[in-house]
Amino acid sequence: MNIYKQIFKQIKKYDTIVIARHIGADPDALGSQFALKNIILELFPDKKIYTVGNPASRFKFFGSQDKIDNLNTSKAMCIVLDTPDIKRIDGANINNFEYVIKIDHHPIIDKYANIELIDEDSCSTSQLILEFIFNNKIEINKEIGEKLYLGIVGDTDRFLHDYTSSKTFGLVNKLIDETNINFTELYK
């Protein structure tokens, strides 16, 4: 079973899922975080899905963060995105969760999760979420597509960096074809 299917299997198991990302949120961290929340809620509307971390006012168009201060996480799962080391996780203490998944494109600093999807050849965590979608044959809407596109554009600086690969372009092409996003409008 490939890692994308393993992650999906775990998502199906848990009724409560907290999605965290790194401190000092950027478009990739937020795009992947809110896109993943929306994907899970589209597929499983009865699950309780929370996004956590300090608000990033200049990127408020991605969505609002949830408060989980009184949430019992002992039987919950935490998915940490775009965060290679424990000390940079924003809004969640992974030690309080039953199960942890890490999805990241940075070099490994800390191993801290039950499942770790690390791909240093990926341009962004948003690209990895896009690969998760396509590997599991999940249909996505325009809103999810826009969040992932902005995440990819943010981390590649509009496809300028050399870690933008032909794989990135192929995934983005498929994303645009399937969601019909207006990418020129998103740049505004």
Side-chain angles (χ1 to χ4, degrees):
M1 177 182 305
N2 76 30
I3 194 160
Y4 298 103
K5 296 207 183 295
Q6 289 174 34
I7 291 169
F8 195 44
K9 182 179 176 184
Q10 292 303 318
I11 287 171
K12 289 177 186 177
K13 279 185 185 178
Y14 285 88
D15 292 328
T16 303
I17 300 172
V18 172
I19 305 171
R21 40 87 182 151
H22 62 75
I23 57 173
D26 59 16
D28 182 35
L30 294 165
S32 59
Q33 185 184 39
F34 285 104
L36 185 58
K37 177 181 181 173
N38 292 350
I39 291 162
I40 297 170
L41 286 174
E42 289 279 323
L43 295 170
F44 309 103
D46 294 333
K47 289 187 183 289
K48 293 177 181 72
I49 312 299
Y50 304 94
T51 56
V52 296
N54 286 319
S57 59
R58 68 184 236 209
F59 300 124
K60 63 183 172 198
F61 54 87
F62 279 107
S64 305
Q65 300 294 344
D66 300 306
K67 299 288 182 205
I68 61 165
D69 298 333
N70 298 317
L71 182 67
N72 180 357
T73 57
S74 65
K75 297 291 183 195
M77 178 169 66
C78 184
I79 302 174
V80 181
L81 303 174
D82 204 30
T83 312
D85 50 337
I86 294 171
K87 70 179 185 243
R88 293 197 66 227
I89 298 171
D90 193 1
N93 181 343
I94 60 168
N95 297 317
N96 296 337
F97 290 84
E98 183 175 76
Y99 202 87
V100 178
I101 294 174
K102 173 183 175 183
I103 302 173
D104 192 20
H105 69 111
H106 297 100
I108 297 170
I109 295 176
D110 295 330
K111 287 188 173 240
Y112 58 79
N114 302 91
I115 295 177
E116 296 202 349
L117 168 55
I118 312 297
D119 184 355
E120 294 178 39
D121 293 327
S122 180
C123 73
S124 61
T125 300
S126 293
Q127 177 176 319
L128 292 172
I129 298 299
L130 199 50
E131 290 183 55
F132 167 79
I133 290 164
F134 294 146
N135 270 273
N136 286 292
K137 297 179 173 50
I138 298 169
E139 288 185 34
I140 58 170
N141 61 35
K142 189 174 180 178
E143 180 185 359
I144 293 168
E146 290 173 346
K147 287 175 175 35
L148 292 172
Y149 184 83
L150 288 170
I152 292 168
V153 164
D155 256 27
T156 62
D157 195 14
R158 297 184 180 197
F159 307 106
L160 292 174
H161 296 298
D162 61 0
Y163 49 79
T164 305
S165 65
S166 60
K167 183 178 186 178
T168 304
F169 284 115
L171 290 163
V172 168
N173 183 58
K174 187 173 180 179
L175 170 70
I176 292 168
D177 283 348
E178 291 190 10
T179 62
N180 201 29
I181 62 171
N182 185 340
F183 57 89
T184 54
E185 283 297 310
L186 289 175
Y187 284 109
K188 294 177 184 173

